[in-house]
């Protein structure tokens, strides 16, 4: 079994959460007015849900077992049977070309990426011709973990 986590850098996560706090300041001012406590409670609930959601998408998990590769964020994961992987290569990508960070979908394939990965990724070609790219701190290690089945499938 092989596992890897790719996380947003700590500074980027703190910047994101700090921005949320700063955006909350006007709400706190409104809450001081009569009847404003409901607005504060509602906003706090929304911010808490947003915080959990953001925390999920700041860590990409990669898991390889005997049968499959699983990659994704929290409960939003994709399972790919190892036998359907025909090519694995360390690669790079530009997030601007994919339209952002997180999960990106294009006609030719999918990308799972995180802030601060330096553009390093694993590039898979699947038996159906689709591409699957995902951030990795060590793309060569991921490809090595998949290599036995990739070579036998190719």
């Amino acid at each position: 079994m092989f596992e890897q986590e790719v996380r947003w850098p700590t500074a980027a996560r703190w910047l994101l959460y700090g921005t949320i706090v700063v955006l909350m300041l006007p709400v706190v001012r409104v809450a001081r007015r009569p009847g404003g406590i409901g607005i504060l409670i509602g906003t706090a609930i929304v911010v808490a849900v947003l915080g959990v959601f953001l925390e999920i998408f700041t860590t990409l998990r990669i898991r390889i077992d005997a049968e499959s590769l699983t990659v994704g964020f929290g409960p939003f994961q994709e399972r790919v049977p190892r036998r359907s992987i025909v090519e694995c290569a360390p690669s790079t990508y530009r997030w601007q070309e994919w339209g952002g960070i997180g999960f990106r979908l294009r006609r030719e394939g999918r990308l799972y990426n995180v802030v601060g990965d330096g553009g390093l990724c694993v590039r898979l070609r699947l038996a159906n011709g689709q591409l699957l790219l995902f951030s990795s701190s060590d793309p060569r290690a991921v490809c090595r973990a998949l290599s036995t089945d990739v070579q036998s499938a190719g």
Side-chain angles (χ1 to χ4, degrees):
M1 168 126 38
F2 175 90
E3 292 183 331
Q4 188 179 92
E5 284 189 351
V6 186
R7 295 181 61 94
W8 281 35
T10 303
R13 290 175 52 212
W14 280 110
L15 180 63
L16 177 66
Y17 298 132
T19 301
I20 292 170
V21 168
V22 168
L23 293 174
M24 281 282 303
L25 293 177
V27 175
V28 172
R29 287 190 189 133
V30 170
R32 290 182 179 171
R33 298 180 188 156
I37 194 69
I39 293 171
L40 181 62
I41 291 171
T43 303
I45 290 169
V46 168
V47 167
V49 170
L50 179 62
V52 168
F53 191 73
L54 290 173
E55 187 61 26
I56 287 171
F57 283 95
T58 60
T59 304
L60 176 68
R61 288 181 176 78
I62 303 158
R63 181 173 182 233
I64 300 169
D65 61 28
E67 300 296 319
S68 64
L69 159 75
T70 305
V71 62
F73 300 99
F76 307 101
Q77 298 195 3
E78 179 174 348
R79 183 179 174 274
V80 178
R82 289 178 73 166
R83 68 182 175 278
S84 71
I85 301 169
V86 296
E87 181 184 342
C88 180
S91 189
T92 59
Y93 73 96
R94 290 178 33 91
W95 65 267
Q96 299 91 334
E97 293 172 1
W98 283 84
I101 56 169
F103 174 69
R104 301 284 144 204
L105 182 61
R106 293 192 347 194
R107 186 173 47 213
E108 67 272 14
R110 301 168 305 282
L111 169 70
Y112 293 85
N113 66 339
V114 297
V115 169
D117 65 5
L120 294 176
C121 72
V122 173
R123 183 179 188 268
L124 301 179
R125 170 78 58 194
L126 305 179
N128 64 5
Q130 287 283 295
L131 291 175
L132 175 61
L133 289 82
F134 52 90
S135 295
S136 173
S137 56
D138 190 351
R140 292 186 192 287
V142 174
C143 289
R144 277 194 304 271
L146 290 168
S147 67
T148 303
D149 287 345
V150 171
Q151 289 174 0
S152 64

